[in-house]
Amino acid sequence: MTEYERGDVIEAGDPFTQEPASRPFVIINTESHPFDGEQYVVTHADDPNVVRRDAACITR
Amino acid sequence: MVHKEAFRQQSIKNQLQTLMLESSKSTKLSHPVASHRDSAYVPCGQDGRWSLLPEEDVCAPRRAGRMIQAGKHTYRQTSKQEVVTMPIDIDTFEHEDQFDESPPHAKQIVAFLAANSDQAFQRGEIADATGIDPNTVSSVLSRLKDRNLVRHKPPYWAIGDRDRVTAAFDLSQDIRTFNEQLGEEEMDAWRSAGNDEAHPSDERNK
């Protein structure tokens, strides 16, 4: 599993469609956050709402 | 007199068992989805852990005469198994471009397997249950397996890890919400706008 760190821009898409990635997100959490490497706290590039993402959902 | 009391107790017990049987039936998928219209009412799961599933994948109690709103559509439940469409008002017709909102096949299949998490199915059974072409079911299932959303022991398929599936439904819902609220992103534009040079953190890692 690729490790991501704060500031990385990743792409994620709807896991139920063929399209691999449809939106960019910015990784916020650091190694000190729980489940680092499995789940990431991300924010949308255009939106202040913070969401938590499963690493397996991240495509890049 | 004793016999009469015993009979009464037995009768109450039978009634209770019938009630429990009925209630357990109502929380389980009694009949698989046959079309995208029905898929809006698939009972997804047998406990509260599935409450995060998107609205159109969660069950509504099946009751004749019930009006159901799903997306831009209104449906009327005519019987336990049958749902008919209702006309839309002209304002909705004027202002919307697209009305076909059938969930992706992958979501229908995962919803079906999640609703029947105590069983595993062969490809043909999933195709029959969902009304999706068997060849499409095959390709969708292998894609879902790559994403760890379903488990496969030939020739059977079952739902994957609950947390993983819930996370996938969450992400699907988030992406849809973002697309509705902010518009869809042009990923090619994002990629071409990216910096060609390595990120400073990449340098640090060397």
Side-chain angles (χ1 to χ4, degrees):
Chain A
M1 182 66 68
T2 312
E3 292 286 334
Y4 301 95
E5 51 186 76
R6 176 176 286 197
D8 284 353
V9 176
I10 51 99
E11 299 174 5
D14 188 331
F16 296 109
T17 61
Q18 299 247 30
E19 191 180 358
S22 58
R23 299 202 81 88
F25 295 90
V26 182
I27 302 276
I28 289 180
N29 64 295
T30 64
E31 288 178 6
S32 62
H33 283 77
F35 305 112
D36 182 61
E38 294 173 35
Q39 285 190 325
Y40 293 94
V41 180
V42 298
T43 184
H44 189 266
D46 299 338
D47 191 277
N49 291 329
V50 174
V51 291
R52 183 178 286 278
R53 285 281 65 90
D54 194 319
C57 295
I58 297 172
T59 54
R60 184 167 127 179
Chain B
M1 200 63 182
V2 173
H3 289 299
K4 197 172 180 182
E5 180 61 19
F7 177 79
R8 198 176 73 88
Q9 291 288 348
Q10 187 60 41
S11 173
I12 290 171
K13 198 176 165 189
N14 286 344
Q15 284 178 39
L16 273 174
Q17 278 177 344
T18 309
L19 268 176
M20 286 165 70
L21 198 64
E22 288 295 327
S23 62
S24 71
K25 272 183 192 166
S26 67
T27 55
K28 280 191 174 181
L29 184 66
S30 56
H31 190 272
V33 294
S35 71
H36 77 268
R37 291 190 323 204
D38 290 326
S39 66
Y41 321 114
V42 176
C44 281
Q46 292 139 31
D47 58 47
R49 295 199 61 186
W50 294 104
S51 59
L52 289 174
L53 298 187
E55 189 182 331
E56 63 266 39
D57 296 312
V58 178
C59 66
R62 290 170 178 270
R63 197 185 311 144
R66 182 189 168 89
M67 305 293 284
I68 303 153
Q69 194 74 36
K72 303 180 186 76
H73 303 273
T74 306
Y75 303 105
R76 186 163 62 86
Q77 191 99 39
T78 55
S79 70
K80 279 197 172 182
Q81 302 299 344
E82 190 188 7
V83 177
V84 298
T85 53
M86 296 287 288
I88 57 169
D89 65 67
I90 198 67
D91 284 343
T92 309
F93 175 80
E94 300 289 359
H95 292 105
E96 299 292 343
D97 297 325
Q98 188 185 344
F99 296 98
D100 182 13
E101 287 189 348
S102 60
H105 287 148
K107 196 178 262 189
Q108 290 185 49
I109 290 172
V110 170
F112 168 73
L113 292 174
N116 295 278
S117 57
D118 55 345
Q119 290 175 284
F121 299 86
Q122 295 193 35
R123 180 192 72 152
E125 294 163 342
I126 297 170
D128 288 344
T130 55
I132 301 170
D133 178 75
N135 293 325
T136 308
V137 169
S138 279
S139 61
V140 170
L141 279 171
S142 58
R143 193 153 47 88
L144 290 170
K145 183 169 174 280
D146 291 342
R147 288 175 175 255
N148 289 325
L149 292 170
V150 297
R151 289 172 294 145
H152 183 42
K153 290 181 183 176
Y156 294 101
W157 298 85
I159 193 67
D161 175 69
R162 284 187 167 208
D163 290 341
R164 176 82 190 92
V165 172
T166 305
F169 271 95
D170 277 354
L171 177 59
S172 175
Q173 180 65 38
D174 287 347
I175 296 278
R176 194 167 57 177
T177 303
F178 283 136
N179 285 345
E180 284 172 5
Q181 291 180 352
L182 306 166
E184 293 185 9
E185 290 284 358
E186 292 182 19
M187 290 311 298
D188 286 341
W190 274 91
R191 287 168 193 141
S192 61
N195 198 332
D196 290 335
E197 294 174 19
H199 189 270
S201 65
D202 290 337
E203 296 296 323
R204 281 199 306 272
N205 291 338
K206 280 180 183 172

